[in-house]
Amino acid sequence: MRSCEALLSSLRAGDHDGVLARLYALDGRAESLDGARGRAARAVEGFRQTFSPGGDASPALFSGPGRTEIGGNHTDHQHGHVLCGSVDLDMLACAAPNGETTIRILSEGYPALEVELDELLPRESERNTSAALVRGVAARTAELGWAVGGFDAYITSNVLSGSGLSSSAAYEVLVGNILNRFFCGGALTAVDIAKIGQYAENVYFGKPCGLMDQMGSAVGGAVAIDFADPADPVVRKVGYDFSRSGHALCIVDTGSCHADLTDDYADITREMGAVAAHFGKQVLREVPEADFRAALPSLRVRCGDRAVLRAMHFYADDRRAVQEAQALEEGDFARFLALVNDSGLSSSLELQNTWSVSDPRQQAIPLSLAVGRELLGGAGAIRVHGGGFAGTIQAFVPEEKLSSFRAGMEALLGPGTCHILHIRPQGGCTVLS
């Protein structure tokens, strides 16, 4: 209990303002730090009140950030390239070992969660639940040879629900970092933790996701990933400071619902796979683009025009993801913005994932993109965000246009729908100990 009080006292005194400023890409001014400082203190206070730790408890603060897809729309499942990044919205936890074989977690706004570690096999009753993610992360960590134990954690989150920022990956990375700190001696790398999170989501939660979400959350900053070998992707951190770009990252909630879009998402994978199968391959990454282009007439007959267009998008956006990373590393932000705009146009015209054919009256994403382009007036960049068909769009907005852009989007979609974010330099981590 004394440790909690000491941590609270030092937070409120501003002793850790530098750490918080770096973590959340803040400008260092006192007023901009108030929210981060208060939120961290709330996590510690929530931990103390919930778990009443003894005097020998040694709590620490941990962060698992949300992530945003920057480049490579629907390229990962074809073993292509992507560019993603961690954002300054995160899951923040105060946690400490409890000396037991039980993990106890209380997340603000949700029922308390307990996971016993004496049996770590997947449980059908836990599928699609947070308990499955916790058990899966613990199980995979144990499989790697670490003697995992119990801990108590209090979590507060500002990762937007349904925003495409991947709250599940943030949760997995958060739990992975807690286990790494308390039971692995910090030996697990960010890539290790990302792979552990993907395993938990695939095997225990029951979602066959790729590795992009977890990598974006775990590694931090902008991250270029090559999925040529999905079991061992090549991950490279891109050296660029987005805070110096003169642009803000906006994620705009169009108010459209992701429900009943499973078939739309599956059709993209199925149709790209059908084109690959024409050449006896599993995914488009294995098919040379020259062979694809030469076979366009026969592909139209066998697979249909939409499948051909979606394959065209894959080849172009796969290249663009690489080029975007190169542009950032070279400091050519204008080139980066042009590539983002090209990607957005390709998603609309070739990939066709901005609205669902099952409900053509609902076209919130195309409408929001059209209004957004008008507001940008040829500046910045704008595109669909994530899987598409519904949900959010992404824009890089010049700082001088930020106020008018936000006002215009919220006049269309409603107050609080335009969220101003930052690409944060650090991924999942121990914030304070």
Side-chain angles (χ1 to χ4, degrees), residues 2-239:
R2 289 189 298 271
S3 295
C4 285
E5 291 171 351
L7 189 53
L8 279 169
S9 178
S10 61
L11 278 167
R12 290 166 175 161
D15 295 346
H16 307 293
D17 284 359
V19 172
L20 296 174
R22 288 190 296 273
L23 185 66
Y24 297 115
L26 301 175
D27 57 18
R29 293 181 300 169
E31 56 268 30
S32 66
L33 283 162
D34 286 345
R37 192 188 305 118
R39 184 164 167 261
R42 188 170 81 244
V44 178
E45 185 62 48
F47 173 81
R48 181 173 65 171
Q49 292 182 3
T50 301
F51 299 106
S52 302
D56 57 348
S58 182
L61 279 173
F62 301 87
S63 172
R67 73 98 187 101
T68 183
E69 173 197 287
I70 301 172
N73 195 214
H74 282 279
T75 55
D76 56 337
H77 53 73
Q78 297 301 304
H79 297 188
H81 298 83
V82 300
L83 180 66
C84 57
S86 56
V87 298
D88 56 343
L89 299 183
D90 69 348
M91 292 188 175
L92 186 68
C94 182
N98 57 28
E100 303 173 18
T101 58
T102 303
I103 293 175
R104 292 188 287 262
I105 297 175
L106 181 63
S107 298
E108 286 182 345
Y110 294 90
L113 171 70
E114 288 195 7
V115 174
E116 297 289 343
L117 301 177
D118 53 350
E119 176 54 73
L120 290 176
L121 292 175
R123 297 185 179 183
E124 188 62 34
S125 61
E126 290 180 347
R127 302 281 277 189
N128 299 305
T129 69
S130 298
L133 298 178
V134 174
R135 191 179 304 278
V137 170
R140 185 58 181 154
T141 305
E143 287 175 8
L144 293 173
W146 301 101
V148 299
F151 65 83
D152 299 328
Y154 182 93
I155 300 175
T156 177
S157 175
N158 58 12
V159 180
L160 307 169
S161 177
S163 63
L165 298 178
S166 194
S167 58
S168 60
Y171 192 77
E172 296 149 15
V173 167
L174 180 71
V175 173
N177 273 277
I178 294 172
L179 291 174
N180 190 31
R181 170 79 182 183
F182 294 145
F183 306 108
C184 307
L188 298 176
T189 68
V191 173
D192 293 334
I193 291 172
K195 290 180 178 179
I196 289 170
Q198 183 201 24
Y199 175 87
E201 193 151 344
N202 291 172
V203 178
Y204 283 71
F205 188 83
K207 180 181 177 182
C209 68
L211 191 57
M212 179 183 71
D213 292 350
Q214 291 80 7
M215 284 292 190
S217 177
V219 176
V223 182
I225 310 174
D226 181 350
F227 285 108
D229 180 0
D232 189 23
V234 177
V235 181
R236 181 169 56 84
K237 194 161 183 173
V238 177

Side-chain angles (χ1 to χ4, degrees), residues 114-430:
E114 288 195 7
V115 174
E116 297 289 343
L117 301 177
D118 53 350
E119 176 54 73
L120 290 176
L121 292 175
R123 297 185 179 183
E124 188 62 34
S125 61
E126 290 180 347
R127 302 281 277 189
N128 299 305
T129 69
S130 298
L133 298 178
V134 174
R135 191 179 304 278
V137 170
R140 185 58 181 154
T141 305
E143 287 175 8
L144 293 173
W146 301 101
V148 299
F151 65 83
D152 299 328
Y154 182 93
I155 300 175
T156 177
S157 175
N158 58 12
V159 180
L160 307 169
S161 177
S163 63
L165 298 178
S166 194
S167 58
S168 60
Y171 192 77
E172 296 149 15
V173 167
L174 180 71
V175 173
N177 273 277
I178 294 172
L179 291 174
N180 190 31
R181 170 79 182 183
F182 294 145
F183 306 108
C184 307
L188 298 176
T189 68
V191 173
D192 293 334
I193 291 172
K195 290 180 178 179
I196 289 170
Q198 183 201 24
Y199 175 87
E201 193 151 344
N202 291 172
V203 178
Y204 283 71
F205 188 83
K207 180 181 177 182
C209 68
L211 191 57
M212 179 183 71
D213 292 350
Q214 291 80 7
M215 284 292 190
S217 177
V219 176
V223 182
I225 310 174
D226 181 350
F227 285 108
D229 180 0
D232 189 23
V234 177
V235 181
R236 181 169 56 84
K237 194 161 183 173
V238 177
Y240 183 78
D241 183 357
F242 279 85
S243 67
R244 298 185 179 183
S245 69
H247 290 70
L249 168 64
C250 293
I251 300 296
V252 182
D253 182 359
T254 68
S256 46
C257 178
H258 279 95
D260 301 322
L261 293 175
T262 301
D263 290 344
D264 293 287
Y265 297 130
D267 279 347
I268 293 178
T269 306
R270 180 183 59 80
E271 290 178 0
M272 288 185 178
V275 173
H278 177 83
F279 300 92
K281 304 296 184 181
Q282 294 291 319
V283 293
L284 289 174
R285 178 69 178 270
E286 300 172 344
V287 180
E289 186 176 3
D291 294 353
F292 162 73
R293 293 283 178 175
L296 283 180
S298 57
L299 285 169
R300 293 186 64 197
V301 175
R302 178 172 178 175
C303 304
D305 289 342
R306 190 173 71 170
V308 171
L309 284 165
R310 285 174 163 171
M312 290 174 66
H313 166 83
F314 165 78
Y315 287 109
D317 226 39
D318 187 51
R319 279 194 302 274
R320 273 189 290 263
V322 175
Q323 293 166 351
E324 286 170 359
Q326 292 172 342
L328 290 174
E329 289 175 326
E330 294 168 2
D332 190 347
F333 201 72
R335 172 66 173 153
F336 166 77
L337 291 175
L339 290 163
V340 172
N341 275 322
D342 288 346
S343 175
L345 187 62
S346 179
S347 291
S348 295
L349 299 181
E350 296 173 351
L351 183 60
Q352 300 180 36
N353 70 331
T354 59
W355 59 281
S356 172
V357 295
S358 65
D359 185 13
R361 286 176 57 84
Q362 188 281 108
Q363 298 200 20
I365 286 181
L367 178 59
S368 300
L369 289 170
V371 172
R373 286 193 187 93
E374 291 178 352
L375 293 167
L376 288 171
I382 192 167
R383 68 192 283 270
V384 66
H385 182 237
F389 298 108
T392 57
I393 64 173
Q394 177 193 79
F396 289 92
V397 183
E399 291 174 354
E400 64 273 15
K401 289 180 175 285
L402 183 57
S403 178
S404 59
F405 179 85
R406 186 176 194 176
M409 296 309 298
E410 295 193 349
L412 174 70
L413 301 168
T417 52
C418 182
H419 305 278
I420 301 171
L421 309 182
H422 299 87
I423 301 294
R424 86 177 208 182
Q426 190 168 2
C429 62
T430 302

